[in-house]
Amino acid sequence: MKKQKINNAQTTKLITLNDIAKKLGVSTITVSKALRGHPDISKATTELIKKTADELGYSPNFMARSLAARKSNTIGVVLPQIDHHFFSSIIDHIYNIAFARQYQVFLTVSHENAEMQKKQIQALLSMRVDGIIISVSQDTTDFEIFETAKKRRVPLVFMDRTPDLADCNTVAVDDMGAAYKAIDHAIKLGYRKIAHFAGHTNINIGRERMLGFHQAMNNHGLEVNPSWVIEGDFGEKSGYDSFMQLYRENNLPDFILSVTYPTAIGIYTAAQEVGLRIPDDIDLICFGNSEVQNFLSPPLSCVNQPTEQLAAKSMNLLIENINNIDNFKNKNIVIDTELILRGTCVKFNRS
Amino acid sequence: MKKQKINNAQTTKLITLNDIAKKLGVSTITVSKALRGHPDISKATTELIKKTADELGYSPNFMARSLAARKSNTIGVVLPQIDHHFFSSIIDHIYNIAFARQYQVFLTVSHENAEMQKKQIQALLSMRVDGIIISVSQDTTDFEIFETAKKRRVPLVFMDRTPDLADCNTVAVDDMGAAYKAIDHAIKLGYRKIAHFAGHTNINIGRERMLGFHQAMNNHGLEVNPSWVIEGDFGEKSGYDSFMQLYRENNLPDFILSVTYPTAIGIYTAAQEVGLRIPDDIDLICFGNSEVQNFLSPPLSCVNQPTEQLAAKSMNLLIENINNIDNFKNKNIVIDTELILRGTCVKFNRS
DNA sequence: TTGAAAGCGCTAACAG
DNA sequence: CTGTTAGCGCTTTCAA
């Protein structure tokens, strides 16, 4: 007695190349080639195969394809945050470019946590991404995982936030120059009691901004008051806390260079809370632009970090590297910035 | 003469299960099991294998694993935008939950374009994701691709923005109730000349908000002025344009229910441009909360849409469905909202 | 222009 | 507790 094979509901089998091949009486490989538009196959056959595939609702299996081809056409992106205009704008552009260039992108968010970041890079390597764009988490001190990627010959591009690593691809903003510009501007306005709410200085952006700050002060012959240089992180709370600390010490400056836009928001919150007016009682400027800054009270001036350029140059660099793994020479790209002046940092308000 | 195999630099071969197996003199499958912590394998062997894998720098091949296991442990997420607090906050929570539940997530952004959205869903199906969470693009009118996913037995959860589709999983906010609450509040404040800058009404959120608006007006015996109900999209420009249109017609209302936060920003821009003050000359409230609304001038009141709940309930529902594909009954989950009152929509400003 | 052979790296099912 | 067999769906040689 023959056993009847029950084609139960669970097994709604997906159409494979083979199914199409059988139905058409050709070989699997012919179908494979036709579907990819390979010139080997005659136009007529290609047409027929494509049509049949459509009718059957064929959907190529990405896993199988990548496995066999040893290429995933996928890039990984590791960002420290996503719910922050700077990064969401960047990722937005990255998706666009990737789409145009036929790449899939795997985005992961480390939440400023180096442990997570490491796991995520491992996962990305595990998915055999062709390359990775990464903006490192603020607490990154261990670079081993980057070396691992390198050893595996998976190209890396560090974007905006780069580690202290010799010979790697970087695409960053001229942070030092930008900080210099901002402080220079403030001093020319008349400010003298100038503070810097800095981020982590183990990350390039924190360090560079700090350097630019000091350089501008020096060049103008101004001393830096150490209690006005506060290292924190890049978040809102950090801005709030730093402000409050100085307020309690009755040691508030006239002007603050805020290391990020969220930090500036923290300063706004704190100032509002203690009844101090911006820019009259205390003035500031921050790094990072976003549309809503126009509608803050007062509109917040900033150093613009061009997200589209960051995204585009990072992608180009990465793809360039992917297409030439063997003798690629790492590049370090620096992008210029400009001051965007709105309601803060535009005039000296103390008499 | 024997040919010498040259192990050139290009071929930095990745370690495979087999390599580990050979080195240890065990079988591939033993290694496979050990690495996955399968109870079949003795503790000692497992330890040894894990150690060796580490030393060799083994990284499992996700493609091969998924292909063989017929399960990718990956979910797809399709969002209409990302550079917008509402969505970036949601995706943030989704990543967190996915990580905790051992899922990889593939995020795609449709940019409010149904064509793109379709391609992206196809790509996701091609990657054999286990399920998809989607917030549909504003111009979605064709639901075929959703049916396709259904046919392929890939569970779908529509989040926040849901299509007119019978029998599907949805997680949404009580938009009608929220709009009602907002308008009810405005009317009680004393407003009578009330407008609604609506989004696309082919999408549930646009339609529901519109319904709530009308219902509240009706219940208070107020007539709706048709020229004050403007359908547009969910973006900033739409808010700006609608405002300007009414301004030019000299037909401005007292109060606007703005369909999203970006639309409200558009209204702020327009008002500023023509020298009208909010909330004194014209008042408003919008859907969607974000921290910065506190710092707008004036602070913008809103209907809060709890992003964490949206993310969590969507993920739970999806995973529940994935784990029980066969006899899962679709669910429709509705989340309550609340008014967050700040500097707008708090008092009637006309005499 | 088409196809056959071989294998990508892994795992399920079962046998020992 | 360990291993064998078979195959996931596709593509890359290379031969016909």
Side-chain angles (χ1 to χ4, degrees):
Chain A
M1 198 163 48
K2 245 195 198 156
K3 252 191 202 153
Q4 188 81 29
K5 222 182 208 162
I6 307 283
N7 190 8
N8 62 10
Q10 271 86 325
T11 332
T12 342
K13 203 177 138 280
L14 288 174
I15 305 297
T16 70
L17 284 190
N18 217 328
D19 298 329
I20 302 176
K22 263 188 226 150
K23 169 147 187 182
L24 257 34
V26 295
S27 78
T28 317
I29 187 60
T30 305
V31 179
S32 166
K33 283 182 179 167
L35 254 22
R36 281 176 294 149
H38 199 290
D40 265 8
I41 312 299
S42 75
K43 202 148 180 218
T45 322
T46 301
E47 283 306 298
L48 177 63
I49 290 179
K50 281 194 173 165
K51 194 166 140 274
T52 316
D54 253 11
E55 282 167 13
L56 260 38
Y58 172 72
S59 155
N61 184 321
F62 170 85
M63 315 286 176
R65 183 173 272 185
S66 303
L67 187 61
R70 278 167 222 77
K71 175 126 171 60
S72 67
N73 252 59
T74 292
I75 67 156
V77 177
V78 184
L79 260 27
Q81 304 168 40
I82 182 67
D83 186 9
H84 174 352
H85 172 76
F86 177 68
F87 292 112
S88 58
S89 169
I90 282 181
I91 193 64
D92 214 353
H93 291 121
I94 288 183
Y95 275 120
N96 278 150
I97 300 165
F99 183 80
R101 304 268 227 131
Q102 312 254 53
Y103 273 91
Q104 291 284 339
V105 1
F106 254 122
L107 170 66
T108 69
V109 181
S110 66
H111 286 108
E112 303 286 11
N113 178 336
E115 268 313 301
M116 277 283 251
Q117 178 175 276
K118 186 175 170 182
K119 279 186 194 163
Q120 290 168 353
I121 295 174
Q122 276 164 345
L124 256 15
L125 292 177
S126 197
M127 315 204 70
R128 300 298 187 261
V129 293
D130 296 333
I132 298 178
I133 292 179
I134 174 166
S135 198
V136 304
S137 89
Q138 63 187 14
D139 63 342
T140 304
T141 49
D142 180 6
F143 305 149
E144 198 197 328
I145 185 71
F146 306 138
E147 299 288 1
T148 305
K150 236 179 175 173
K151 261 182 232 147
R152 301 248 179 92
R153 327 195 88 237
V154 176
L156 246 50
V157 170
F158 293 98
M159 180 185 63
D160 188 54
R161 284 150 69 149
T162 68
D164 282 327
L165 213 52
D167 195 32
C168 60
N169 289 311
T170 61
V171 175
V173 138
D174 174 18
D175 279 298
M176 192 172 90
Y180 188 96
K181 263 188 229 171
I183 294 298
D184 182 67
H185 184 81
I187 294 173
K188 284 180 179 153
L189 245 30
Y191 287 108
R192 291 295 173 269
K193 300 168 69 175
I194 302 180
H196 178 30
F197 287 8
H200 283 277
T201 46
N202 63 314
I203 297 291
N204 65 315
I205 60 168
R207 197 171 42 243
E208 294 285 314
R209 289 168 195 185
M210 178 72 91
L211 278 174
F213 166 77
H214 275 100
Q215 202 165 91
M217 294 293 276
N218 277 346
N219 280 11
H220 283 279
L222 254 38
E223 275 212 12
V224 172
N225 177 339
S227 68
W228 285 341
V229 177
I230 306 186
E231 289 190 37
D233 61 31
F234 303 116
E236 208 171 304
K237 185 164 184 308
S238 186
Y240 178 91
D241 289 346
S242 302
F243 187 100
M244 283 307 195
Q245 180 189 317
L246 295 181
Y247 176 78
R248 276 190 307 266
E249 293 169 358
N250 204 3
N251 183 27
L252 241 19
D254 280 341
F255 186 91
I256 305 171
L257 172 65
S258 170
V259 75
T260 65
Y261 163 57
T263 319
I265 291 292
I267 295 172
Y268 270 61
T269 315
Q272 193 179 73
E273 210 170 298
V274 303
L276 254 26
R277 287 158 312 155
I278 299 170
D280 299 315
D281 299 319
I282 186 157
D283 199 357
L284 81 165
I285 192 168
C286 75
F287 280 80
N289 184 31
S290 95
E291 180 76 4
V292 282
Q293 289 174 6
N294 281 305
F295 305 102
L296 296 180
S297 171
L300 174 58
S301 301
C302 70
V303 175
N304 184 36
Q305 308 171 80
T307 53
E308 183 160 8
Q309 276 192 60
L310 278 165
K313 303 210 168 179
S314 300
M315 281 294 280
N316 288 342
L317 183 53
L318 185 66
I319 294 176
E320 211 182 305
N321 194 345
I322 289 173
N323 291 335
N324 179 17
I325 302 249
D326 298 318
N327 27 30
F328 190 79
K329 228 182 136 287
N330 286 330
K331 289 186 186 158
N332 301 100
I333 297 176
V334 175
I335 298 173
D336 241 9
T337 63
E338 64 195 293
L339 256 37
I340 297 182
L341 268 7
R342 294 192 264 242
T344 73
C345 194
V346 285
K347 83 179 216 270
F348 183 57
N349 299 286
R350 249 58 83 239
S351 52
Chain B
M1 198 160 50
K2 245 193 198 158
K3 250 191 202 153
Q4 189 80 29
K5 221 181 207 163
I6 307 282
N7 191 9
N8 62 11
Q10 269 86 326
T11 332
T12 341
K13 204 179 136 278
L14 288 174
I15 306 296
T16 69
L17 284 190
N18 217 327
D19 298 329
I20 302 176
K22 264 188 229 153
K23 168 149 189 179
L24 257 33
V26 294
S27 76
T28 317
I29 188 64
T30 303
V31 179
S32 167
K33 282 182 179 166
L35 256 21
R36 282 176 293 150
H38 200 290
D40 265 8
I41 312 298
S42 75
K43 202 147 179 220
T45 321
T46 301
E47 284 306 299
L48 177 62
I49 290 177
K50 281 193 173 163
K51 193 166 141 277
T52 315
D54 254 10
E55 283 167 12
L56 261 38
Y58 172 72
S59 155
N61 185 320
F62 171 85
M63 316 285 176
R65 183 173 271 184
S66 302
L67 188 61
R70 278 168 222 77
K71 174 126 172 58
S72 67
N73 252 59
T74 292
I75 66 157
V77 177
V78 184
L79 259 27
Q81 305 167 40
I82 182 67
D83 186 11
H84 174 353
H85 171 76
F86 177 68
F87 292 112
S88 57
S89 168
I90 281 181
I91 193 63
D92 214 352
H93 291 122
I94 288 183
Y95 275 120
N96 279 150
I97 299 164
F99 182 80
R101 303 269 225 130
Q102 313 255 53
Y103 273 92
Q104 292 284 338
V105 0
F106 254 122
L107 170 65
T108 69
V109 181
S110 67
H111 286 108
E112 303 286 12
N113 178 335
E115 267 313 302
M116 277 283 251
Q117 177 175 277
K118 187 176 170 180
K119 279 186 194 163
Q120 290 168 353
I121 295 174
Q122 276 164 344
L124 256 15
L125 293 176
S126 197
M127 315 204 70
R128 300 298 188 259
V129 294
D130 296 333
I132 298 177
I133 293 179
I134 174 167
S135 197
V136 303
S137 89
Q138 64 187 13
D139 62 342
T140 303
T141 49
D142 180 4
F143 305 148
E144 198 195 330
I145 186 69
F146 307 138
E147 299 287 1
T148 305
K150 235 178 175 174
K151 261 181 231 146
R152 299 247 179 92
R153 326 197 88 236
V154 176
L156 247 49
V157 170
F158 293 98
M159 179 186 64
D160 188 55
R161 283 149 69 149
T162 67
D164 281 329
L165 212 53
D167 196 30
C168 58
N169 288 311
T170 61
V171 176
V173 137
D174 175 18
D175 280 297
M176 192 171 91
Y180 188 97
K181 263 188 229 171
I183 294 298
D184 183 66
H185 184 81
I187 294 173
K188 283 179 180 154
L189 245 31
Y191 289 108
R192 291 296 173 268
K193 299 167 70 175
I194 301 179
H196 179 29
F197 288 6
H200 282 276
T201 46
N202 62 315
I203 298 289
N204 65 315
I205 60 168
R207 197 171 43 242
E208 293 286 314
R209 290 169 194 185
M210 179 72 92
L211 278 173
F213 166 78
H214 276 100
Q215 202 166 90
M217 294 293 275
N218 277 346
N219 280 11
H220 283 279
L222 255 37
E223 276 212 11
V224 172
N225 177 341
S227 68
W228 286 341
V229 177
I230 306 186
E231 289 191 35
D233 62 31
F234 302 117
E236 208 170 305
K237 184 163 184 311
S238 185
Y240 179 91
D241 289 347
S242 302
F243 187 100
M244 283 308 195
Q245 179 189 321
L246 295 182
Y247 176 77
R248 275 191 305 269
E249 293 170 357
N250 203 2
N251 183 26
L252 242 19
D254 281 341
F255 187 91
I256 305 170
L257 173 64
S258 168
V259 75
T260 64
Y261 164 57
T263 319
I265 291 292
I267 295 172
Y268 270 61
T269 315
Q272 194 178 71
E273 208 169 299
V274 303
L276 254 27
R277 287 159 311 156
I278 299 171
D280 300 315
D281 299 319
I282 186 158
D283 200 357
L284 83 165
I285 192 168
C286 75
F287 280 79
N289 185 29
S290 93
E291 181 75 5
V292 281
Q293 288 173 6
N294 282 305
F295 304 102
L296 296 180
S297 170
L300 174 58
S301 301
C302 69
V303 175
N304 183 36
Q305 307 171 82
T307 53
E308 182 160 9
Q309 275 191 61
L310 279 164
K313 302 210 168 179
S314 299
M315 280 295 280
N316 288 341
L317 183 53
L318 185 66
I319 294 176
E320 209 182 305
N321 194 345
I322 288 172
N323 291 335
N324 180 16
I325 302 249
D326 299 318
N327 28 31
F328 190 79
K329 230 182 134 282
N330 286 330
K331 288 185 188 159
N332 302 99
I333 297 176
V334 176
I335 298 173
D336 242 8
T337 64
E338 64 193 291
L339 256 36
I340 298 183
L341 267 7
R342 294 192 264 241
T344 72
C345 194
V346 285
K347 84 179 216 270
F348 182 57
N349 299 287
R350 249 58 82 239
S351 53

